Amino acid sequence: MNYLLLCWLILPHWRSDPPKVSGLGKYAIGVTTPESLDKSVFEEDQVYAKGTLALVCSHIRLFKAPMLEMDGIRISNLSLAFYDSKLFTIACDYSPALKNAFVAKHGQGELLSTISLSQCLKRQDKPLIIAGESWTSVDIQAVAVQVEGYNVDCRLEKTVWLIIGSQRVIALSSYCDLGKRPYLYDRLVDGQHP
């Protein structure tokens, strides 16, 4: 009888599904505002429409921090993008420590197809290989992207980053340039790669 009671108490707290992705640390998609950021850590960048130098994306604000500590993990190259003062994308380097913490919290992601792109005409022997894994919860998608090979500038690139974003707001803001990192893996397939 005691085992039955114990199972009845533990079962609601024991789930086979990992927790849903909603952000990274204290930065929550759709919740965090620019006013809540530590201004001594983050610097604001102006965001322009893709292909222009003067057309400002007035609905979007972008904040960057070169390095900060979050829950005991050093996070580098963190950028937070806000649409009408609500956080809609998070991007940062995906260090081994961050990967371990993220996978421990959310479980393994779904492996995505690997893409091979010949970007450098001088180095056809080493195409740009793009691979990753994805976690999706309702409107929010997190993607860990690994890029290795020669990029369009014929420079050897080897990077891994994590991108978390609201798919709906990303679609609304696709005309704006938030930097070299793509929002989501499917953008890479469409040719919008780093």
Side-chain angles (χ1 to χ4, degrees):
M1 185 70 167
N2 289 338
Y3 291 112
L4 184 59
L5 178 62
L6 183 62
C7 287
W8 182 76
L9 290 172
I10 293 175
L11 193 56
H13 303 288
W14 180 65
R15 304 181 305 174
S16 60
D17 293 336
K20 302 295 182 198
V21 177
S22 61
L24 185 64
K26 65 182 179 179
Y27 305 111
I29 301 293
V31 177
T32 303
T33 64
E35 294 72 35
S36 68
L37 300 180
D38 182 349
K39 301 300 188 246
S40 67
V41 175
F42 286 92
E43 187 175 301
E44 187 170 5
D45 278 357
Q46 187 69 57
V47 178
Y48 297 98
K50 290 178 183 173
T52 71
L53 295 175
L55 188 56
V56 175
C57 291
S58 59
H59 288 281
I60 296 180
R61 294 176 71 188
L62 181 65
F63 292 84
K64 295 182 177 182
M67 182 72 66
L68 61 87
E69 190 166 308
M70 187 184 312
D71 301 328
I73 298 171
R74 294 185 79 184
I75 307 292
S76 57
N77 298 314
L78 177 66
S79 40
L80 306 174
F82 297 83
Y83 188 91
D84 288 341
S85 293
K86 296 288 184 194
L87 182 64
F88 78 98
T89 63
I90 301 166
C92 64
D93 291 345
Y94 197 47
S95 68
L98 178 56
K99 178 180 180 176
N100 290 339
F102 195 82
V103 170
K105 182 174 182 178
H106 301 290
Q108 288 295 131
E110 177 185 334
L111 290 179
L112 300 170
S113 298
T114 300
I115 298 171
S116 176
L117 300 171
S118 293
Q119 296 293 298
C120 176
L121 296 176
K122 299 175 191 172
R123 293 300 308 258
Q124 294 290 324
D125 61 317
K126 190 79 168 161
L128 197 65
I129 305 295
I130 306 169
E133 58 185 308
S134 172
W135 298 260
T136 304
S137 343
V138 190
D139 175 54
I140 298 172
Q141 183 175 19
V143 181
V145 179
Q146 181 175 346
V147 178
E148 187 173 349
Y150 283 94
N151 63 22
V152 73
D153 298 324
C154 292
R155 292 190 179 149
L156 189 59
E157 184 172 343
K158 185 174 182 178
T159 58
V160 184
W161 65 84
L162 178 67
I163 305 161
I164 304 169
S166 163
Q167 296 177 63
R168 182 184 60 80
V169 181
I170 286 170
L172 287 174
S173 63
S174 63
Y175 64 95
C176 294
D177 184 3
L178 295 178
K180 77 172 201 164
R181 294 181 178 186
Y183 299 121
L184 297 172
Y185 186 81
D186 64 354
R187 301 263 186 233
L188 293 169
V189 176
D190 294 336
Q192 296 178 13
H193 46 80

